Amino acid sequence: MLIRWRRLLHLPTESSLFFTFSRLNLPFFMPTSSSSTTAKMAESNHADKLAAWKSQLEQAQKDLQSSIMSAETATHVEHLKNTNHDNFEFSVVTYNILADCFADKLDNAELKEYRYGHVQAPYLTWAHRWKNIERDVMAMDADIVCLQEVMFSTFDSHLVPFFAANGYTGILQNDTNRMERQATANATFYKATIFTPDYTLPRSRTLLHVFRHLQHGFTIALVNGHLQGDPKRRADRVSQVTNALKKLEKQKPDCIVITGDFNDGADTTPCTSLQETSRLASAAAFVTSLQESYPSLLTPWLLVDALRNVSEPTFVSRWYTGRIDQMIVSSNLATMAVLSPMMGRSTLVEKHSLPNVLCGSDHLPAGATLRFLPSCVSVLPPPPAPDAAVVPPDVLLAWRQLLKTSPPKPVGRPDPGLMADLKAFALAKKAFLQQLPADVAEVVKKTKA
């Protein structure tokens, strides 16, 4: 008899399904006109949500293109003094200042010769280099200065007094879990008349902040990073910056700035990984493709390379020259101006490796003036999930009634009679679900008695 039921369960007609359920002594359900109407209303509601979601994405695409265009056409400047704070603008600079323990005080004589044997000895001393770094910081006049390779010893003795005298407050990446031999960290200095910190978290390679703009009230999530330097460990660099982003996303900031020494070019990871969402959103069919790819995105934020039209290098050595200091920003930040890393010293930089008579590090500073655009969409919203309301109440009631007829769970190996009942019950559930639209069936089968 069970074989006959199995055959009948595969028949799509209403009469065959009814016969099957009656012979199994199970409740039989066929969708009523009211349940059909409810389902149609729910489907219509979901369609409205989907249309609203697509509209948001289309607006996000327009805002993204505007942000990219602003970065491509940003004015090149040699300082950031003209930032218009009344117009939601603020400026950020990143600068790897070359720790003395990696330069003049480098213990490994062979490594020191390999890296800096071409640099005149007086230009490698901290006393000479610090004067040039001071001059650069004062000339740039940025609202936020992100430094890398800051020695713990010089933070208190040199950096804090200098920055305080120029209106800055400093935060050091003093992670309590750091290794005892670690001598350097990142440090962030901000103008206390413009920002106040709402959140700070030191990580192994990054220093995370959320700053609140005192005049306008918007919040900026800031990643000050010095990523893994091994050329072969690009995956680690991606992980370091994406993990930092996940921490900051929980703070629900209004905009994001990711900056620092990435130890990699703008056309490589992690820069390209961070802009994956933006590349997807720029595609013609991004609305359709996003529904499938959204769960796998590294971040829902639309991110743009604020320094995309900066061709000057930020790192110059005897072996390599290029821009490895980066600034990736959310698409609701327009790039108004970009700092020229050479700051008018192009001839000197081209003829001499760094550090030199006027440059205090083997890196040059990179920075930008950014404008916050409150109305721009900078985070891709998730696709709307099918609402449980698409399942009419009588469908759920019939499903629960069916579940209540489940045979008892066997203890050990079931006897032939119980085995037949279990198989018949499974077939009955399958037949019930086959009556329903696929999206409704997915919701129903997750419902318990």
Side-chain angles (χ1 to χ4, degrees):
M1 185 63 70
L2 183 60
I3 294 174
R4 183 182 181 189
W5 288 339
R6 284 179 180 166
R7 288 173 180 168
L8 287 170
L9 283 170
H10 289 292
L11 296 177
T13 64
E14 179 177 341
S15 59
S16 63
L17 287 170
F18 177 78
F19 179 74
T20 301
F21 276 78
S22 62
R23 292 300 298 268
L24 290 169
N25 196 29
L26 298 173
F28 176 68
F29 168 79
M30 286 300 294
T32 64
S33 59
S34 63
S35 67
S36 216
T37 303
T38 305
K40 286 179 181 178
M41 291 175 62
E43 288 172 5
S44 175
N45 183 51
H46 180 67
D48 290 343
K49 290 181 180 178
L50 194 61
W53 175 70
K54 289 181 178 180
S55 178
Q56 280 184 294
L57 294 184
E58 288 165 0
Q59 185 59 51
Q61 189 179 43
K62 293 178 183 177
D63 294 340
L64 172 64
Q65 295 305 321
S66 296
S67 180
I68 293 173
M69 182 62 69
S70 74
E72 289 177 345
T73 59
T75 305
H76 284 245
V77 295
E78 294 182 7
H79 60 77
L80 302 171
K81 297 178 185 292
N82 296 329
T83 301
N84 185 351
H85 298 106
D86 293 333
N87 199 26
F88 290 83
E89 293 181 7
F90 62 96
S91 54
V92 182
V93 159
T94 179
Y95 195 3
N96 182 324
I97 62 173
L98 180 58
D100 198 27
C101 61
F102 300 147
D104 192 39
K105 296 297 192 295
L106 185 61
D107 292 335
N108 188 324
E110 185 178 350
L111 183 59
K112 180 178 178 180
E113 173 62 27
Y114 174 79
R115 289 180 177 175
Y116 303 111
H118 59 293
V119 176
Q120 295 183 41
Y123 299 157
L124 204 58
T125 64
W126 173 248
H128 170 80
R129 295 193 300 107
W130 174 238
K131 290 179 181 178
N132 288 330
I133 293 168
E134 284 183 313
R135 187 194 61 252
D136 284 350
V137 170
M138 291 181 67
M140 291 183 292
D141 195 29
D143 300 327
I144 299 176
V145 180
C146 300
L147 302 179
Q148 300 85 42
E149 291 196 20
V150 174
M151 293 190 67
F152 293 104
S153 57
T154 57
F155 178 78
D156 291 321
S157 63
H158 290 71
L159 275 69
V160 170
F162 164 72
F163 276 97
N166 287 278
Y168 293 88
T169 300
I171 301 174
L172 182 65
Q173 181 197 6
N174 197 1
D175 188 354
T176 54
N177 294 323
R178 63 184 171 90
M179 295 181 291
E180 186 176 347
R181 58 186 173 84
Q182 183 178 335
T184 67
N186 302 334
T188 304
F189 290 87
Y190 63 95
K191 290 184 178 178
T193 56
I194 300 174
F195 295 106
T196 185
D198 283 357
Y199 172 86
T200 294
L201 179 67
R203 304 277 289 170
S204 62
R205 285 282 184 169
T206 56
L207 179 57
L208 313 183
H209 308 279
V210 174
F211 288 112
R212 184 175 300 277
H213 196 282
L214 293 175
Q215 182 179 355
H216 299 295
F218 64 90
T219 54
I220 306 162
L222 178 72
V223 179
N224 176 3
H226 189 188
L227 306 185
Q228 170 60 240
D230 188 336
K232 298 178 181 179
R233 295 176 62 180
R234 280 182 169 159
D236 288 351
R237 290 193 280 279
V238 174
S239 176
Q240 287 158 5
V241 74
T242 53
N243 287 341
L245 260 183
K246 289 175 183 177
K247 291 287 184 182
L248 288 173
E249 284 169 2
K250 295 178 182 178
Q251 304 302 313
K252 302 187 183 305
D254 294 313
C255 54
I256 286 182
V257 177
I258 308 163
T259 193
D261 179 357
F262 280 31
N263 274 310
D264 227 332
D267 57 347
T268 60
T269 56
C271 290
T272 53
S273 298
L274 287 172
Q275 296 174 81
E276 173 193 11
T277 308
S278 296
R279 287 198 303 277
L280 179 64
S282 298
F286 85 110
V287 171
T288 303
S289 59
L290 190 60
Q291 288 179 274
E292 300 176 359
S293 59
Y294 191 93
S296 63
L297 294 176
L298 287 177
T299 175
W301 284 84
L302 291 165
L303 301 171
V304 175
D305 180 4
L307 309 179
R308 62 190 299 127
N309 73 340
V310 175
S311 58
E312 296 177 8
T314 61
F315 179 74
V316 179
S317 73
R318 65 199 300 185
W319 308 117
Y320 174 83
T321 297
R323 176 162 71 87
I324 63 174
D325 301 271
Q326 313 295 347
M327 187 172 293
I328 310 294
V329 303
S330 53
S331 60
N332 58 354
L333 291 174
T335 306
M336 308 307 296
V338 290
L339 181 72
S340 171
M342 295 186 185
M343 298 173 67
R345 301 167 295 192
S346 58
T347 303
L348 184 65
V349 173
E350 288 167 359
K351 290 183 177 179
H352 304 277
S353 293
L354 304 179
N356 58 40
V357 63
L358 289 180
C359 301
S361 173
D362 52 1
H363 286 250
L364 297 168
T369 293
L370 306 167
R371 177 186 292 172
F372 174 58
L373 305 172
S375 61
C376 285
V377 179
S378 58
V379 181
L380 289 183
D387 198 335
V390 299
V391 184
D394 52 344
V395 175
L396 288 176
L397 178 62
W399 175 253
R400 289 191 175 103
Q401 288 175 341
L402 174 59
L403 294 181
K404 289 177 182 178
T405 65
S406 172
K409 291 183 178 181
V411 178
R413 184 180 180 84
D415 58 58
L418 180 56
M419 178 66 75
D421 289 342
L422 289 169
K423 289 181 178 179
F425 179 70
L427 290 169
K429 289 196 297 181
K430 181 178 179 180
F432 185 100
L433 295 172
Q434 282 179 338
Q435 304 172 77
L436 307 174
D439 57 339
V440 176
E442 283 296 316
V443 178
V444 169
K445 71 181 181 181
K446 295 177 182 177
T447 305
K448 299 180 180 179

